[in-house]
Amino acid sequence: MTADRIGDALVALLVVLNVKSCSAVARIPVVLINGTIVTATLLLAPASPFLVIPEESPWPEPDASETVTHLSNLEVLASAPSQNGYLETIAVPDCEWSDPDLDDL
């Protein structure tokens, strides 16, 4: 679960992404069933199935200020003409070239 304001901002962003046929990555704070707050990474794209419903929780909502600002900024970026239809990249951790998993690529 996340804050109501974050859910509303996500829906507003998805509307713009659908109209502009582009995608974005959003990171939002969510509260797990045990009350722990973690960050969820969402890939938002046109026609992404998304549902926002009010839910009672014994835990306080996560702080929504920075996240709502970030989502609003993504919405502004999505509204602007885009060259590639993608708003944000996902960070990839540095890999050592000697990493044995690289041979599998």
Side-chain angles (χ1 to χ4, degrees), residues 21-90:
S21 295
C22 60
S23 302
V25 171
R27 291 170 186 82
I28 64 167
V30 295
V31 180
L32 300 179
I33 197 163
N34 65 1
T36 304
I37 296 177
V38 298
T39 300
T41 302
L42 306 173
L43 173 59
L44 307 171
S48 291
F50 201 81
L51 178 65
V52 176
I53 58 171
E55 181 70 31
E56 293 295 322
S57 172
W59 313 110
E61 287 186 344
D63 181 23
S65 314
E66 288 181 25
T67 304
V68 170
T69 300
H70 176 69
L71 294 173
S72 296
N73 290 339
L74 286 177
E75 185 178 345
V76 169
L77 287 173
S79 298
S82 176
Q83 299 298 322
N84 62 7
Y86 192 76
L87 298 178
E88 193 174 314
T89 57
I90 299 172

